[in-house]
Amino acid sequence: MTVKAVQIKEYGKDIEINQEVKVPEISSGKVLVKVHAAGVNPVDWKITEGYMSQGKKLNSPMTLGGDFTGTVTDVGEGVTEYDKGDNVYGSGAVRMGGSGAYAEYLSADAGQISKKPAKANNIEAAALPLVGVSAWDVISNKIDLREGQKILIHGGSGGIGSIAIQVAKYLGAYVATTARKDKADYLKEIGADEIIDYKNERFEDRLHDYDAVFDTVGGDTYKRSFRILKKGGIIVSMLEEPDKELMDKYHVNAMGQFTRINSAILEKLAELFDKGIIKVNVDKVFPLDKAGQALEYQRNNSVKGKVVIEID
């Protein structure tokens, strides 16, 4: 049996829709899933251009995509948490031991999936894994945000930022965020207390003595963020490594974030979604045959929430 998948053969080259991909073999600790939808993340187009290769040779051809939702069709040896017919979501990224999510079937590590949120449709579930796990891991674990504390979240209308705002409000924090002016109504709707139009305002002129910053933008924005933190505060960045000079100058802590999808956080996200505490906004949906357009749209637009590829 062969299926359709979106693949690359060389970094920096166009993606290909391969109609003759073998269904992944099931192995110990893995599940085989019929994919219904796949989420699009910035890391996906960065992989196609070789930004994430770290000098490693591409195992060609490689199926793209990480986030997915689908139905279990088989389980490997040692997998006891899932049965055939279970609706699951999580990561099937090749770099995490999966076979790639932009495909009609994938294999995924059982430790990187969970039961799909009961109240989420396939599009919503596919949009949640990477952004949701990143937001929860940073806000709840690394920052350990507490009720009454103040946090600045950069890029609040993006996939990670929008979930981070909702997680921070759930934990009882005061939340400021940077975004474009036209995203203000959306950001207020998901709980932001204060919105800074980054094109016309400098956040460091308005914000002072904050407990934490969650940076999803990087660059100069990251460096300027140190100024708003109180002594002993913390900044966590999705893009930058800790700046020791700035840490010492402002007497704050800094961490980088590399997200590893895991079942425990996915289960927590499903619980929060089903309780209505978090929701995910899907900006645009593309069919599998238009995966190249989906990646281009994600790269070149100010996406409000997530982009999703619908497969079945």
Side-chain angles (χ1 to χ4, degrees):
M1 179 178 173
T2 58
V3 297
K4 187 187 298 185
V6 178
Q7 299 183 325
I8 56 169
K9 292 182 178 178
E10 294 182 58
Y11 293 125
K13 301 294 185 180
D14 291 341
I15 66 171
E16 298 181 13
I17 310 296
N18 190 338
Q19 306 271 358
E20 300 293 326
V21 178
K22 291 183 179 180
V23 172
E25 294 183 4
I26 192 69
S27 58
S28 178
K30 306 280 179 92
V31 295
L32 183 66
V33 177
K34 179 175 173 54
V35 184
H36 302 313
V40 179
N41 295 296
V43 67
D44 298 328
W45 64 258
K46 290 178 181 179
I47 286 172
T48 68
E49 299 190 8
Y51 292 138
M52 311 297 291
S53 66
Q54 297 174 326
K56 296 178 182 178
K57 185 178 179 181
L58 175 68
N59 187 14
S60 178
M62 184 181 77
T63 300
L64 297 171
D67 288 358
F68 77 91
T69 189
T71 302
V72 175
T73 60
D74 201 1
V75 298
E77 182 181 354
V79 177
T80 59
E81 310 96 314
Y82 306 102
D83 296 308
K84 294 179 182 180
D86 284 346
N87 293 317
V88 297
Y89 81 129
S91 177
V94 170
R95 65 196 183 106
M96 297 299 179
S99 64
Y102 295 177
E104 292 174 316
Y105 280 80
L106 64 74
S107 70
D109 191 300
Q112 295 179 19
I113 67 171
S114 179
K115 298 286 182 65
K116 180 176 82 72
K119 294 184 179 179
N121 60 37
N122 289 330
I123 301 300
E124 292 168 328
L128 190 55
L130 183 60
V131 297
V133 172
S134 297
W136 181 265
D137 190 37
V138 170
I139 300 294
S140 180
N141 296 336
K142 289 187 170 60
I143 292 176
D144 190 21
L145 195 66
R146 304 296 179 89
E147 184 175 358
Q149 290 187 318
K150 297 191 295 184
I151 184 171
L152 168 61
I153 297 170
H154 286 302
S157 64
I160 296 174
S162 58
I163 301 297
I165 289 171
Q166 296 172 78
V167 169
K169 290 306 296 180
Y170 165 68
L171 296 174
Y174 179 90
V175 181
T177 188
T178 55
R180 287 181 9 176
K181 186 177 181 180
D182 61 353
K183 302 295 195 303
D185 289 343
Y186 167 63
L187 293 167
K188 289 177 183 176
E189 180 185 329
I190 62 174
D193 297 293
E194 192 168 350
I195 301 158
I196 296 96
D197 174 11
Y198 70 87
K199 287 188 173 293
N200 297 299
E201 300 177 86
R202 292 180 69 85
F203 61 85
E204 65 268 38
D205 292 337
R206 280 179 50 177
L207 309 179
H208 307 281
D209 295 321
Y210 266 58
D211 298 283
V213 174
F214 184 14
D215 167 44
T216 71
V217 176
D220 184 57
T221 296
Y222 171 74
K223 293 179 180 179
R224 288 159 47 208
S225 295
F226 282 79
R227 304 178 196 175
I228 76 157
L229 288 167
K230 63 173 60 172
K231 288 185 178 180
I234 183 171
I235 179 169
V236 180
S237 178
M238 294 296 304
L239 300 169
E240 303 288 348
E241 292 297 319
D243 188 313
K244 184 68 163 55
E245 183 178 341
L246 290 174
M247 290 169 65
D248 292 342
K249 179 179 179 179
Y250 292 100
H251 305 285
V252 300
N253 299 310
M255 299 178 69
Q257 169 69 6
F258 178 78
T259 301
R260 293 187 180 277
I261 305 290
N262 66 78
S263 298
I265 298 181
L266 288 170
E267 289 172 9
K268 182 64 179 181
L269 292 170
E271 175 191 339
L272 295 177
F273 189 97
D274 286 339
K275 289 180 177 179
I277 293 168
I278 62 170
K279 58 184 177 180
V280 59
N281 186 77
V282 177
D283 187 296
K284 196 163 186 177
V285 179
F286 292 83
L288 186 63
D289 289 340
K290 303 293 184 182
Q293 293 181 24
L295 290 170
E296 185 177 353
Y297 184 84
Q298 167 67 55
R299 178 176 184 175
N300 296 331
N301 292 274
S302 177
V303 174
K304 188 171 77 173
K306 289 297 299 291
V307 176
V308 173
I309 295 171
E310 188 170 24
I311 298 173
D312 178 21

